[in-house]
Amino acid sequence: MGIFSGLKDLLGQINRIDGSIYMQGKNFADVYARNIALEEEIAARTKELEQANQTILTLNSVWEMMNSSQPLSNMLDKIIHILHEDLGYTFAAILKINKRENASSYFEVKAYSENKSINKAFELISESAGTYELPYILNSIVVKAIIERQIYSTPDIKGILQMFFPALEENYLDNILSGIYSKSCTIVPLHKSNEAFGCVIVSSDRDGITETERNFLSLYANQIELAITVAGLFEEVKKQAVTDPLTGLYNRRYFEETITKEAERSIRLKQPFSLVSLDLDYLKKINDTYGHQYGDLAIKTIANVLKKEARSIDVPARIGGEEFNVLLSGVDSKGGFTAAERIRKSIENQVIDTIGGVTASIGVATFTEHSDRIDELIEMADQAMYQAKLNGRNQVKIANVKLESNWKKLAIETFIDIIAKKRIPIDEETAQKLNIKLTEIKNEDAKSNDILFAVVDMISQMYNKMYKEGTTKAKQLLAVMLAEKIDLAKEEIEKLRLAVLLYDIGNIMIPEDIFNKKEPLSEDEKEIIKRHPVIAAREILKPISKIQDIIPIIESHHENWDGKGYPGHKAGVEIPISSQIVLLVDAFYAMAQDRPYRQAYTCDEIIKIIRQESGKQWNENLVDEFIQLIKTKNL
């Protein structure tokens, strides 16, 4: 019994040990299974975290782009790059909905990832380099996704390609499919300010998309929409800063900046450019007859013609009112005339509601050919345009090659008239010498200016023995520099050039003993001196019909700003600005030369005297500009 009892106890212990081993083995299996499941869960969560991190990084990239104020095109290109390169989509593109003039819609490809097969397809369907238009089909999955504002995914990539590229053969479409290695295509709608903008299309080597990916693309689309809105607002503000609100053409500020850059480029490349200056004919009559709304309509019509006729590198701009300019890059005067005539005919052929039609007068000037100065070129184009108006309107005029020859020719003719008709008292021998010099001058001769100045110097020396040779030329140069410094109109500067040659001619009528008197003048003698502007203007120059617009300058060149000058006691703005310039320049050179009753003043002494008389004899602003000028030029 003892043996059997012992065996029984041993068997029980063995069973208990077996049970314990079994339970421990089962526990180990459970632990192992749990570890496997935990590892899988960790891997899944890690992948989700990686995806979430990538999502955050991607969204952050879009946010940074929005804050960088980049142009919309650059931003869209970077968004596509992120989708293709960083997020692993085999192809990505952004399509924008546009409308044609007939109101039909189409997709414009704004950005797409690089792919040789797709690139070739775009090249085949594009009408011009860089412009890709795709059909907008109402019952397609793409348009459905945009209208319903839902993300759609489809394995039928070939069907989408057939929709976008209907003209391409099927075997070519198969080549595109094999080239992008895709199994599914996803359409993500885009909206801007609650209006359909277009969509993002991405293709993937996966079958369809997961819910996580769908959520990400939805978030990404929201960021893209915000980026489009911000970039669009930025571009709109930028556009408003450089465009005219009525016509949509560039404004004056942008035009002036552009023509400066174009001049620099022209000089560097030794290539001309032409400037077309255009003015709408009879705008006042249109406004008075039909109302200002039709005047605006006429101006818009001109603008539309300029937009249509301009090349992509041309710059059409509204300068103000009914005035327009067009910068024609790389075009000489012959090409400028052809372009201007095409614009003129196009304007003439427009039919406007109620008005019927309009015309324009046009001037053309070419950089380097007509002038190598921007301000002068603009003025020359304007003058040519005004000439077109004077000649009957609705025509094109080319600027004169040498506008400066006008004042010179007029000066020569004036002096020939004065001498030939003995309007001033000079002896016959001197008259013949002067006449020979004048008649031998040729406008194209570079030395003709010097001969003309020499003639004036000779006449001045007849009444003032101390008058230095070369003074007339120096006076004219300084007067023109001062006029340009205060932005005097080109036409007024031309008058000023001639006035400087003629303003003191009345001095020749003053008795020599009075002019060269060392003692103080008597009141009677002062009155004789004061008559010389009137003599010059009314007795010597008035009979010469060609220079009537010069006479007011000469007649007023001794009037003082405070009204205490002569002969008419004019004051302030009553005095022509050109007369004020003549008086100031004349005083400067008079004080700089010896006189019978005093020695010449130094430049510092002259400046001091001029400052003392500022606001009395001369306009204060003009004095400030003048003193700054002579200091700059070290006169």
Side-chain angles (χ1 to χ4, degrees):
M1 290 293 292
I3 294 174
F4 287 109
S5 177
L7 288 172
K8 185 177 180 181
D9 290 340
L10 181 61
L11 183 61
Q13 291 177 9
I14 291 172
N15 286 337
R16 284 194 298 273
I17 291 172
D18 285 342
S20 175
I21 292 173
Y22 171 77
M23 290 302 297
Q24 288 180 6
K26 186 178 179 182
N27 289 338
F28 282 132
D30 289 344
V31 169
Y32 180 75
R34 284 198 300 271
N35 285 341
I36 293 284
L38 184 59
E39 287 176 1
E40 289 176 350
E41 187 174 349
I42 290 171
R45 293 291 179 267
T46 301
K47 187 174 181 180
E48 287 179 5
L49 285 172
E50 288 175 351
Q51 289 177 340
N53 186 53
Q54 184 63 58
T55 299
I56 292 170
L57 290 174
T58 302
L59 296 178
N60 186 58
S61 296
V62 178
W63 180 257
E64 287 178 353
M65 280 189 285
M66 285 189 291
N67 288 329
S68 66
S69 299
Q70 294 185 47
L72 181 59
S73 58
N74 290 5
M75 195 175 294
L76 297 182
D77 284 338
K78 289 188 177 181
I79 287 170
I80 287 301
H81 178 82
I82 292 170
L83 286 168
H84 180 59
E85 298 292 337
D86 297 349
L87 299 179
Y89 288 102
T90 55
F91 179 77
I94 293 179
L95 310 183
K96 180 180 183 298
I97 301 171
N98 281 346
K99 287 189 180 295
R100 298 185 177 89
E101 290 184 2
N102 62 5
S104 63
S105 298
Y106 66 94
F107 284 115
E108 177 188 357
V109 182
K110 300 297 292 184
Y112 64 97
S113 58
E114 287 298 315
N115 181 277
K116 290 182 180 180
S117 300
I118 290 287
N119 289 358
K120 185 63 177 177
F122 280 142
E123 289 172 9
L124 290 173
I125 60 97
S126 66
E127 296 180 0
S128 61
T131 302
Y132 305 127
E133 297 182 3
L134 302 178
Y136 181 94
I137 300 174
L138 280 174
N139 60 356
S140 67
I141 188 174
V142 176
V143 174
K144 183 180 180 182
I146 295 170
I147 292 174
E148 296 180 1
R149 304 185 74 161
Q150 294 289 328
I151 296 176
Y152 280 96
S153 184
T154 177
D156 187 16
I157 303 176
K158 187 173 183 179
I160 292 178
L161 288 174
Q162 286 174 327
M163 177 191 75
F164 283 144
F165 305 107
L168 297 185
E169 296 179 0
E170 189 165 342
N171 63 337
Y172 196 88
L173 294 174
D174 290 335
N175 287 335
I176 294 176
L177 277 174
S178 62
I180 57 176
Y181 310 106
S182 298
K183 294 181 181 180
S184 65
C185 180
T186 302
I187 301 99
V188 185
L190 297 174
H191 287 72
K192 176 186 172 185
S193 302
N194 258 347
E195 292 185 4
F197 175 86
C199 65
V200 176
I201 294 183
V202 293
S203 63
S204 172
D205 57 3
R206 301 180 296 278
D207 295 322
I209 59 172
T210 64
E211 191 62 29
T212 300
E213 187 178 358
R214 183 184 296 274
N215 291 336
F216 163 74
L217 287 174
S218 179
L219 280 173
Y220 197 57
N222 290 337
Q223 289 296 92
I224 294 173
E225 289 172 353
L226 187 56
I228 290 170
T229 301
V230 171
L233 289 172
F234 175 75
E235 289 194 349
E236 185 63 29
V237 170
K238 186 177 177 181
K239 181 180 177 183
Q240 288 175 0
V242 299
T243 56
D244 171 61
L246 178 64
T247 63
L249 295 177
Y250 290 112
N251 60 21
R252 183 181 193 127
R253 188 182 77 174
Y254 180 83
F255 178 82
E256 289 174 348
E257 291 173 355
T258 303
I259 197 171
T260 299
K261 294 176 183 176
E262 184 65 18
E264 293 170 355
R265 190 191 69 85
S266 176
I267 293 170
R268 186 174 66 254
L269 300 179
K270 296 181 179 179
Q271 184 182 58
F273 70 85
S274 287
L275 172 62
V276 173
S277 180
L278 181 149
D279 196 87
L280 171 62
D281 295 330
Y282 302 113
L283 176 62
K284 185 178 186 304
K285 185 178 179 181
I286 293 171
N287 286 333
D288 293 344
T289 305
Y290 305 104
H292 285 275
Q293 69 272 26
Y294 285 99
D296 288 348
L297 182 59
I299 289 171
K300 289 178 184 178
T301 300
I302 298 284
N304 291 336
V305 168
L306 296 182
K307 291 174 188 175
K308 181 180 178 182
E309 296 294 339
R311 303 169 300 167
S312 60
I313 59 173
D314 295 337
V315 181
R318 184 186 180 203
I319 303 304
E322 68 271 40
E323 298 177 30
F324 301 85
N325 280 349
V326 184
L327 192 157
L328 305 174
S329 181
V331 176
D332 60 15
S333 59
K334 184 178 179 181
F337 180 86
T338 301
E341 183 61 23
R342 186 171 61 248
I343 291 170
R344 186 199 65 77
K345 288 181 179 178
S346 183
I347 292 171
E348 187 180 37
N349 292 333
Q350 299 301 308
V351 178
I352 305 176
D353 181 39
T354 303
I355 301 173
V358 293
T359 61
S361 299
I362 305 176
V364 180
T366 301
F367 190 71
T368 65
E369 182 178 335
H370 293 116
S371 177
D372 57 1
R373 287 174 45 191
I374 296 172
D375 58 340
E376 192 170 63
L377 185 78
I378 293 172
E379 185 66 28
M380 292 174 79
D382 283 344
Q383 290 297 325
M385 181 268 291
Y386 287 130
Q387 191 60 48
K389 280 191 176 295
L390 292 173
N391 286 0
R393 294 181 169 84
N394 191 26
Q395 56 188 276
V396 178
K397 288 289 182 183
I398 296 285
N400 294 324
V401 175
K402 290 290 182 182
L403 188 64
E404 65 182 12
S405 66
N406 292 346
W407 71 266
K408 184 168 58 179
K409 182 179 179 182
L410 196 54
I412 294 167
E413 292 174 353
T414 300
F415 280 111
I416 289 175
D417 184 289
I418 290 171
I419 294 166
K421 296 181 180 179
K422 299 181 179 180
R423 300 189 190 280
I424 57 176
I426 55 176
D427 62 82
E428 192 65 30
E429 183 181 352
T430 304
Q432 286 182 359
K433 288 180 180 179
L434 292 173
N435 199 49
I436 290 171
K437 281 183 174 291
L438 290 166
T439 53
E440 286 181 349
I441 294 175
K442 295 180 180 179
N443 287 338
E444 65 271 18
D445 186 354
K447 296 182 179 179
S448 61
N449 279 8
D450 292 336
I451 296 173
L452 183 57
F453 293 133
V455 168
V456 180
D457 286 346
M458 285 176 64
I459 294 173
S460 299
Q461 287 166 349
M462 291 172 64
Y463 61 82
N464 179 9
K465 303 301 181 183
M466 306 182 80
Y467 194 89
K468 293 182 180 179
E469 189 174 331
T471 300
T472 303
K473 183 177 181 179
K475 282 183 179 181
Q476 192 196 69
L477 179 62
L478 184 57
V480 170
M481 286 193 294
L482 180 56
E484 290 176 342
K485 199 170 191 302
I486 64 172
D487 294 326
L488 195 65
K490 179 66 179 178
E491 184 180 354
E492 295 303 314
I493 292 177
E494 296 301 293
K495 294 178 184 177
L496 178 63
R497 289 180 190 273
L498 184 54
V500 170
L501 303 182
L502 296 170
Y503 76 94
D504 250 359
I505 199 168
N507 280 335
I508 203 169
M509 309 296 284
I510 298 173
E512 187 176 345
D513 59 334
I514 295 178
F515 200 89
N516 295 314
K517 189 175 181 180
K518 295 181 179 181
E519 298 79 17
L521 298 177
S522 67
E523 291 302 318
D524 290 341
E525 289 170 336
K526 288 180 181 178
E527 287 303 316
I528 292 174
I529 292 287
K530 290 180 179 179
R531 286 189 65 243
H532 89 270
V534 177
I535 293 172
R538 299 178 186 175
E539 297 181 22
I540 300 174
L541 302 176
K542 191 172 183 180
I544 306 173
S545 59
K546 294 180 179 179
I547 59 170
Q548 295 306 297
D549 53 352
I550 307 297
I551 290 176
I553 301 173
I554 295 170
E555 195 169 23
S556 300
H557 83 273
H558 271 294
E559 300 287 0
N560 290 350
W561 190 252
D562 61 4
K564 295 180 181 179
Y566 59 87
H569 302 292
K570 295 179 181 178
V573 294
E574 293 178 329
I575 309 168
I577 185 65
S578 295
S579 300
Q580 298 174 48
I581 292 173
V582 169
L583 176 62
L584 190 50
V585 171
D586 180 66
F588 176 82
Y589 279 99
M591 287 186 279
Q593 294 181 353
D594 291 332
R595 284 287 186 264
Y597 49 87
R598 62 157 175 81
Q599 295 293 313
Y601 293 110
T602 65
C603 187
D604 289 339
E605 290 172 335
I606 295 172
I607 290 175
K608 183 178 180 181
I609 294 170
I610 290 175
R611 284 199 186 278
Q612 287 173 349
E613 292 298 310
S614 179
K616 301 174 185 177
Q617 193 168 354
W618 302 292
N619 179 330
E620 291 179 353
N621 293 332
L622 191 63
V623 165
D624 291 340
E625 296 288 353
F626 181 72
I627 290 175
Q628 185 181 11
L629 177 63
I630 60 178
K631 284 183 175 180
T632 303
K633 300 299 180 181
N634 295 317
L635 296 176

